[in-house]
Amino acid sequence: MKESKGQKSVILLLTLLVFFTVNVKSQLTANFYATTCPNLFHVVRKQVQLAVMNEMRMAASLLRLHFHDCFVNGCDGSVLLDGDDSEKSAAPNLNSIRGFDVVDKIKTAVESSCSGVVSCADILAIAARDSISGGPSYRVLVGRRDGTVANRTGANTNLPSPFASLDTVISLFGDQGLNITDVVALQGAHTIGLARCTTFSSRLFNFSGSGAPDSTIDNSLTAALDQNSTDLFDNHYFKNLINNKGILLTDQELHSSDSAKSTTKSIVENYSNNQRLFFKDFINSMINMGNVKPLTGSSGQIRKNCRVINS
Ligand code: HEM
Ligand SMILES: *[C@@H]1O[C@H](CO)[C@@H](O)[C@H](O)[C@H]1NC(C)=O
Ligand SMILES: *[C@@H]1O[C@H](CO)[C@@H](O)[C@H](O)[C@H]1NC(C)=O
Ligand SMILES: *[C@@H]1O[C@H](CO)[C@@H](O)[C@H](O)[C@H]1NC(C)=O
Ligand SMILES: *[C@@H]1O[C@H](CO)[C@@H](O)[C@H](O)[C@H]1NC(C)=O
Ligand SMILES: *[C@@H]1O[C@H](CO)[C@@H](O)[C@H](O)[C@H]1NC(C)=O
């Protein structure tokens, strides 16, 4: 059968349509709220700036919240939910993640600017982006909706322990669709923020690690994850690893473990010499992490209060 020019272009169009439909990684876009909440980015940035002016560490805490959200049931704001089965009460989070009051403040400011349209999951993604000021900036993708269940078991299984082996870390990131470049680049977030001594003190006594934390240590003692420049988003974290000054076992293993030789070590070395490369990869990996199983379309809901599902 001979095809006319018209038929050919219809076929071409359909082929392109199928190609693009099966290739979209997610439906998140930078301009999702352009008409429904045009001031969104401005409102969030201002609130993050106020919170960080009040307490520098809050930048690190907000960045970490987005990570702990995305690794459990995707980036759906589930980490923010209160309740008996909350992710907040899971081992990696209990007495550890922080910033919930700040998220509430951001949500209130956003709601008063445009009510009922912006998800808590997106607020976390935007706040994380705004928290790395001084570091690289990027267009954050939005359009996520909020989940209706917290998953405490998921938080306990999916979030890596600071005593995990590099192979376990790589495998847990792999479960989220993140590769070895993402593993190294994202852990570069430890260029800011603090860690409680219980998360690394056992290393001082037994370098081979995975020893249980010493329960006699004061839980409130903390150390900077990047001893060189705690509040500055830079590549010193990777310079520290080269100098055996990683704080967590999982940090140092990126450079020093046997498995690192064939996986992460060369990436650490490249980032330690090349901050621009780290920044470029970090942005790419933040977008990859922000794309972990988002709820879109009519799935989930837009929570009115980030701590509870809508009644
Ligand atoms: C193998 C992967 C990771 C492990 C084992 C890990 C573990 C930890 C631990 C144990 C702390 C200290 C918590 C405490 O003192 O209670 C911490 C803090 C932090 N983590 Fe990670 N983390 C990992 C990956 C990431 C990623 C991917 C990000 C973000 C993209 C991130 C961002 C942060 C930040 C910013 C802090 C400081 C938080 C603050 O000062 O409030 N971490 N991490
Ligand atoms: C909780 O997370 C685990 C691990 O990701 C998953 O297998 C399970 O289906 C999740 N449960 C709910 C109720 O979402
Ligand atoms: C990981 O994925 C990124 C794309 O997000 C790609 O550029 C990079 O080469 C991948 N890294 C590895 C080690 O496969
Ligand atoms: C150090 O920890 C490892 C792994 O838990 C253990 O096998 C080893 O016996 C410990 N060494 C000492 C000196 O406690
Ligand atoms: C931080 O690193 C720079 C060079 O990389 C060094 O000159 C400086 O002394 C270090 N500062 C601290 C507090 O370790
Ligand atoms: C590290 O940098 C070198 C030199 O620029 C490059 O050839 C190599 O592919 C890089 N390796 C990784 C794992 O990024």
Side-chain angles (χ1 to χ4, degrees):
M1 193 185 81
K2 264 196 134 189
E3 293 161 357
S4 72
K5 252 190 179 164
Q7 278 173 318
K8 268 189 187 164
S9 34
V10 168
I11 289 168
L12 181 69
L13 217 87
L14 285 175
T15 315
L16 282 173
L17 198 72
V18 169
F19 178 82
F20 283 116
T21 315
V22 298
N23 274 277
V24 277
K25 238 170 108 183
S26 81
Q27 295 146 306
L28 305 182
T29 57
N31 61 3
F32 185 83
Y33 297 110
T35 54
T36 54
C37 196
N39 288 327
L40 172 63
F41 293 128
H42 177 77
V43 171
V44 175
R45 178 161 303 234
K46 194 179 147 204
Q47 291 300 317
V48 170
Q49 281 170 347
L50 285 172
V52 172
M53 253 194 284
N54 186 48
E55 186 202 11
M56 282 280 243
R57 184 187 179 187
M58 192 47 68
S61 305
L62 291 172
L63 174 53
R64 189 171 183 229
L65 268 183
H66 181 46
F67 159 49
H68 281 216
D69 184 33
C70 292
F71 268 54
V72 184
N73 285 20
C75 313
D76 67 343
S78 58
V79 72
L80 302 172
L81 289 170
D82 285 339
D84 290 345
D85 228 19
S86 73
E87 292 168 24
K88 296 173 183 181
S89 61
N93 291 332
L94 189 66
N95 299 321
S96 183
I97 44 168
R98 54 203 296 281
F100 298 109
D101 294 346
V102 170
V103 173
D104 288 341
K105 276 193 186 150
I106 302 173
K107 175 69 170 174
T108 303
V110 168
E111 286 295 303
S112 68
S113 180
C114 32
S115 178
V117 293
V118 180
S119 67
C120 298
D122 278 343
I123 287 175
L124 288 182
I126 303 165
R129 188 273 305 269
D130 292 345
S131 290
I132 56 179
S133 75
S137 194
Y138 57 95
R139 274 158 67 88
V140 62
L141 303 183
V142 287
R144 299 170 190 80
R145 291 169 63 83
D146 295 321
T148 52
V149 286
N151 189 344
R152 186 179 185 210
T153 314
N156 277 319
T157 10
N158 299 358
L159 292 166
S161 144
F163 306 105
S165 69
L166 179 58
D167 290 340
T168 300
V169 169
I170 290 173
S171 151
L172 288 171
F173 275 66
D175 290 346
Q176 306 297 333
L178 299 171
N179 71 19
I180 288 171
T181 310
D182 299 313
V183 167
V184 184
L186 289 171
Q187 264 169 270
H190 289 171
T191 177
I192 56 174
L194 308 180
R196 288 170 305 147
C197 291
T198 57
T199 62
F200 63 84
S201 60
S202 57
R203 298 185 62 211
L204 294 169
F205 311 111
N206 181 353
F207 193 82
S208 62
S210 66
D214 181 342
S215 59
T216 60
I217 197 156
D218 179 347
N219 244 338
S220 64
L221 292 175
T222 55
L225 281 160
D226 171 5
Q227 297 277 326
N228 187 288
S229 48
T230 314
D231 294 315
L232 192 64
F233 199 98
D234 60 13
N235 69 337
H236 256 113
Y237 168 81
F238 297 106
K239 293 183 196 282
N240 295 339
L241 301 187
I242 304 281
N243 293 313
N244 285 318
K245 289 183 172 163
I247 296 292
L248 306 177
L249 179 71
T250 40
D251 291 328
Q252 194 56 50
E253 282 187 330
L254 292 175
H255 187 254
S256 308
S257 62
D258 275 347
S259 320
K261 291 187 188 117
S262 58
T263 54
T264 52
K265 187 177 181 186
S266 61
I267 308 178
V268 169
E269 278 164 0
N270 280 5
Y271 291 166
S272 75
N273 293 323
N274 188 343
Q275 179 161 279
R276 271 175 55 188
L277 177 67
F278 165 50
F279 281 5
K280 179 176 137 301
D281 285 2
F282 184 76
I283 290 173
N284 186 56
S285 294
M286 281 296 284
I287 290 169
N288 290 343
M289 185 172 82
N291 267 320
V292 175
K293 299 192 285 285
L295 297 173
T296 54
S298 58
S299 317
Q301 58 180 219
I302 303 297
R303 265 180 240 150
K304 292 188 173 68
N305 171 346
C306 291
R307 292 172 183 268
V308 290
I309 61 170
N310 299 340
S311 49

